[in-house]
């Protein structure tokens, strides 16, 4: 549709300008203030920019925030409020956790320990990778960092050890299977913990902002652990059926792992520091509804433990550009979403939709929304852009149709991670795994679609029942 | 006093713990809540940490913020509020301006243009450097980046061009003079614009937080331009008297500058973008009291102009670690200072001091405080640590003594930049200039002290009169 960044940029600006001035032609919709409309214009242009990316989304966020204040749509303090948001700093902290896992080698050690213990055949190797990802997922809010930074390097060197190389035409020996299975698992774990991927935190914030639904870390984990573990247990086996590896037994894998562990030596002090900080964070996050200690504060203190213990250095913090990038683009989006909500726009929209939904049962409405939300992701190159563009609106519609707010928030929210499995561009870790060239694009989409059905049955179907059992609706 | 970082760290923690539990022994002072006392304990420990630096100050800030929330002294939103503060994002933006000046070469071009026009002798070269620094100072909030990143490289290569090299014993030829004069000028320009050095913004925020005094960008500039330009005009001449360069005439300087400009060619598109963004920012900052456009929003929009124009890239933004470092350490300190103020501690302290100051005239009190504030900086290695530790308390005392709040805020605030000239460790740019080895430590302190007297006469003495003339008190 657009060939150059310039065209994309001009279109983005055009959307904003046209929307901004539209009320001069059509008149202002009943029940909205001009400020609310202007906020809407900037918000839509920002989302269009996030989707088309004429510039990196952080740059778009910075400009959008500046403009809301510059054009006096928001007060300066409101325009900047997202940057002091607890969610944002939970993400910044979790990026630093990921740094700790990567830098100290603790992530690799966990993978090799599981591999040494169980991986006597290809299928078990698939499970090894899936559960390595699962174990570290609660504190690595970037599935790209977790999948691409920790799991993928181990996986790739393993494929080489088994002489499965795409350049030599031996990718089907074991590589294709492991790559596909591990990547799909990476997306499933992303759905299980709030802190397993950044857009989950956006989900939580938007749910609170737009529908007043508050979801705690422990509550999310409790809600997702049953459908999530089920999906995670199915995934390696399902992919095994789709891409049966030529090599079934892998008697060498535990030996390779043992050698790597030998090389690494006994656990270093720095690894112990990360492990301690990680367990402390998990314990405090899981018990926060009893202790009342805020999740972000726990994370900051645990990052402090890693800093004091020397596992990461301050230089690591200020050069962790992923954290600062996320701070800006997501903090900016939070400011805009909060501003849009406070302007009354969301309520106006919800009232409008609600009055058009008489006669549709909320179950139907919610399930249709969940299906659309999931497969709409074929059109997105980022979970975050998807959540930013769609989540608040879909949640508003579901609630307007009569769905219990917490149920609707969880159902639309749990899809954020698993939607990443659909395409080779659906999330940041996808191009990394895809780029290893073990799987063609057609194969990738096929696996993605088949696994997505399993995931939908587990999360949306069984999840809905499980949430009823534990009394969430 | 402390030999190792560990000792410093333990002492910092000890200060916090002892203060925290002190009321269990002494009882809580009348009129304070326990939360206010606990906030005070964390604040003092943080400042001790900033001064002793057992870890980088950003790490201390992150831990302190985490602890205030973790120990429930502040609500999570309050603990993180500093990170969404307008001042902080003005600094982040201005770091990006500095990046634009350095990356595009516009800063160097400005220096060579002035040099080509006027620098026919050593003294005029001194003025060239001083005014180069002055011109770019409104948008480079790090005197280290401005002095060290833009001006120093030009200066150092100029010294070489004149064959004035410390290794060859020829430093007195012209280098000693130029280094000393330029560094002192760098500190003076830091006092002239709020955005010329980050701690000025801390001053403005603390003045607003603790005394309800709001100081706009234009107001500060108007207040400081007369004493500041006077000090800046005196400086190169005064240093010329202290360190008379052996080489008086520099007929080659304009030629060297012309050659450099020739090499650079005509102004590139990227430079024009920075220049345009810079002039736009200056115009909007200077007129903000009429337009009502917030200074931070102006800065963000102008950074947006640089991004859209391609003068800086998003990668430059997220790897600008100086900005993120400052965001964390200063944002954290802002949260703590705001928390301490809202807890009622500052008011309690002010009331206590006020009732002990009967009979002391406010003029005496203010001038004594200004003197102490200035020369206390011999004990500090950072303007920011100094401001964080002392400014709110001194301002509170001055106002309790009866000084007009705005006058007191400006007088104590204007010293922030010039105090950097005192020692070779007083501010970030000092070690860079000092490290070039043109000046011994004894000489450095001598120049610093002599110029400080001139600066104090200009800013505190003449400044006070000027502020009366323009009706600020």
């Amino acid at each position: 549709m657009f060939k150059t960044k310039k065209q994309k940029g001009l279109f983005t600006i055009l959307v904003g300008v046209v929307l901004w001035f539209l009320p001069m032609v059509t008149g202002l919709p009943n029940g909205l203030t001009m400020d609310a409309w202007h906020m809407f214009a900037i918000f839509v242009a920002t989302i269009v920019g996030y989707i088309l990316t004429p510039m990196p989304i952080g740059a778009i966020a910075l400009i959008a925030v500046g403009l809301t204040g510059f054009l006096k749509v928001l007060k300066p303090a409101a325009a900047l409020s997202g940057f002091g948001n607890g969610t944002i700093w939970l993400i910044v902290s979790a990026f630093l956790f990921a740094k700790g896992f990567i830098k100290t080698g603790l992530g690799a050690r966990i993978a090799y320990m599981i591999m040494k213990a169980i991986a006597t055949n290809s299928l078990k190797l698939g499970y090894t990778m899936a559960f390595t990802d699962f174990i570290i997922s609660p504190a690595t809010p970037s599935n790209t960092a977790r999948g691409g930074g920790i799991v993928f390097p181990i996986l790739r060197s393993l494929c080489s050890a088994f002489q499965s190389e795409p350049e030599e035409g031996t990718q089907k020996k074991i590589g294709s299977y492991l790559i596909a299975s591990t990547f799909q698992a990476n997306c499933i774990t992303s759905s299980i913990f709030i802190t397993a991927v950044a857009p989950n935190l956006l989900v939580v914030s938007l749910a609170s902002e737009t529908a007043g639904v508050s979801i705690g870390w422990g509550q999310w984990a409790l809600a997702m652990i049953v459908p999530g573990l089920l999906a995670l247990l199915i995934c390696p086996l399902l992919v095994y059926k789709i891409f049966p590896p030529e090599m079934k037994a892998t008697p060498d894998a535990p030996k390779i792992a043992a050698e790597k562990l030998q090389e690494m030596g006994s656990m270093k002090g720095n690894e112990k520091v990360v492990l301690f900080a990680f367990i402390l964070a998990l314990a405090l996050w899981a018990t926060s509804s009893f202790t009342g200690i805020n999740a972000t504060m726990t994370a900051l203190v645990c990052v402090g433990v890693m800093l004091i213990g020397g596992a990461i250095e301050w230089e690591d913090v200020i050069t962790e550009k992923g954290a600062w990038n996320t701070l800006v683009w997501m903090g900016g989006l939070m400011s805009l979403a909060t501003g849009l909500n406070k302007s009354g726009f969301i309520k106006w929209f919800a009232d409008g939709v609600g009055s058009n939904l008489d006669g549709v049962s909320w179950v139907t409405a919610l399930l249709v929304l969940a299906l659309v939300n999931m497969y709409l992701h074929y059109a997105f190159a980022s979970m975050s852009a998807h959540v930013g563009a769609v989540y608040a609106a879909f949640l508003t519609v579901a609630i307007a149709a009569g769905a219990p707010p917490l149920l609707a928030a969880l159902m639309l929210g749990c899809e954020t991670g698993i939607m990443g499995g659909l395409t080779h561009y659906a999330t940041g870790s996808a191009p990394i795994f895809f780029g290893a060239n073990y799987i063609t694009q057609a194969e990738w989409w096929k696996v993605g679609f088949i696994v997505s059905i399993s995931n939908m049955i587990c999360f949306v179907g069984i999840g809905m029942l499980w949430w009823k059992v534990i009394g969430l609706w």
Side-chain angles (χ1 to χ4, degrees), chain A:
Chain A
M1 185 170 171
F2 299 106
K3 288 204 181 108
T4 64
K5 298 225 171 241
K6 193 176 245 176
Q7 286 175 359
K8 292 177 180 178
L10 288 175
F11 180 76
T12 304
I13 293 168
L14 191 70
V15 168
V17 172
V18 167
L19 276 177
W20 182 279
F21 291 110
L22 196 63
M24 292 174 64
V25 182
T26 61
L28 195 64
N30 262 343
L32 273 188
T33 64
M34 192 54 98
D35 270 354
W37 184 265
H38 286 164
M39 190 63 238
F40 173 65
I42 294 179
F43 187 81
V44 171
T46 305
I47 295 298
V48 169
Y50 273 37
I51 295 170
L52 297 180
T53 57
M55 315 172 70
I57 58 175
I60 295 169
L62 209 58
I63 294 169
V65 164
L67 279 179
T68 54
F70 195 82
L71 299 170
K72 299 183 186 173
V73 177
L74 288 181
K75 292 225 165 68
L80 296 169
S81 63
F83 300 127
N85 182 291
T87 301
I88 302 298
W89 285 87
L90 186 49
I91 295 175
V92 170
S93 308
F95 265 101
L96 303 175
F97 265 110
K99 189 92 184 185
F101 275 108
I102 297 174
K103 192 183 174 191
T104 64
L106 181 63
R109 184 184 297 275
I110 292 171
Y112 289 126
M113 282 168 69
I114 302 177
M115 200 194 297
K116 185 181 163 191
I118 65 163
T120 51
N121 63 41
S122 318
L123 183 62
K124 285 181 183 170
L125 259 180
Y127 281 103
T128 297
M129 289 300 149
F131 280 88
T132 299
D133 193 291
F134 173 74
I135 288 172
I136 57 181
S137 64
T140 46
S142 158
N143 64 331
T144 310
R146 182 170 69 249
I150 300 175
V151 178
F152 178 78
I154 297 167
L155 180 59
R156 185 64 190 76
S157 60
L158 205 67
C159 294
S160 293
F162 287 119
Q163 278 133 26
S164 176
E165 300 279 2
E167 300 82 46
E168 297 163 13
T170 53
Q171 66 270 33
K172 297 277 176 216
K173 196 171 172 192
I174 189 165
S176 304
Y177 162 62
L178 284 181
I179 293 274
S181 167
T182 307
F183 169 68
Q184 290 295 335
N186 178 250
C187 295
I188 294 171
T189 63
S190 299
S191 280
I192 301 180
F193 302 101
I194 290 184
T195 41
V197 77
N200 283 346
L201 289 142
L202 189 56
V203 161
V204 171
S205 288
L206 290 172
S208 160
E209 284 296 332
T210 58
V213 175
S214 88
I215 309 174
W217 191 91
Q219 191 180 33
W220 178 295
L222 181 65
M224 301 303 171
I225 196 80
V226 167
L229 277 182
L230 197 61
L232 200 61
L233 284 169
I234 293 170
C235 170
L237 190 62
L238 187 57
V239 179
Y240 195 86
K241 299 289 175 198
I242 308 171
F243 278 146
E246 293 160 7
M247 186 179 183
K248 309 288 178 196
T250 57
D252 286 352
K255 215 174 68 194
I256 293 171
E259 274 165 21
K260 288 279 184 186
L261 286 170
Q262 187 88 34
E263 264 175 44
M264 296 177 94
S266 59
M267 198 180 254
K268 293 184 297 287
N270 281 349
E271 284 177 82
K272 286 181 189 158
V273 169
V274 175
L275 189 63
F276 172 73
F278 177 55
I279 292 173
L280 184 64
L282 287 188
L284 288 167
W285 284 340
T287 56
S288 62
S289 55
F290 308 108
T291 61
I293 296 172
N294 175 272
T296 304
M297 297 300 139
T298 292
L300 288 176
V301 166
C302 292
V303 167
V305 168
M306 292 200 296
L307 282 164
I308 293 172
I312 59 171
E313 285 164 29
W314 185 244
E315 190 70 14
D316 295 324
V317 175
I318 55 177
T319 57
E320 179 50 59
K321 60 185 187 179
W324 307 120
N325 188 25
T326 309
L327 169 78
V328 176
W329 75 252
M330 195 154 146
L333 191 62
M334 299 277 288
S335 291
L336 300 184
T338 306
L340 190 63
N341 187 37
K342 287 205 176 145
S343 76
F345 191 93
I346 300 286
K347 193 181 172 309
W348 170 83
F349 177 74
D351 291 348
V353 173
S355 63
N356 287 308
L357 278 178
D358 290 340
V360 181
S361 91
W362 67 259
V363 178
T364 312
L366 183 56
L367 289 177
V368 169
L369 285 169
L371 263 177
V372 173
N373 184 50
M374 180 74 182
Y375 292 101
L376 197 61
H377 197 65
Y378 277 106
F380 280 94
S382 145
M383 298 167 176
S384 311
H386 183 140
V387 171
V390 171
Y391 184 79
F394 276 26
L395 179 60
T396 303
V397 172
I399 293 172
L406 180 57
L407 172 65
L410 284 173
M411 185 170 289
L412 295 167
C414 76
E415 297 180 337
T416 307
I418 54 176
M419 63 177 60
L422 288 176
T423 67
H424 57 300
Y425 52 77
T427 179
S429 58
I432 299 172
F433 285 87
F434 181 72
N437 279 322
Y438 280 85
I439 302 171
T440 65
Q441 187 185 320
E443 289 171 335
W444 189 278
W445 281 50
K446 183 179 150 197
V447 177
F449 185 71
I450 296 175
V451 176
S452 80
I453 294 172
S454 156
N455 287 341
M456 286 294 274
I457 293 171
C458 292
F459 277 94
V460 172
I462 297 169
M464 192 166 166
L465 301 178
W466 167 243
W467 304 333
K468 184 78 185 174
V469 170
I470 57 175
L472 294 186
W473 61 281

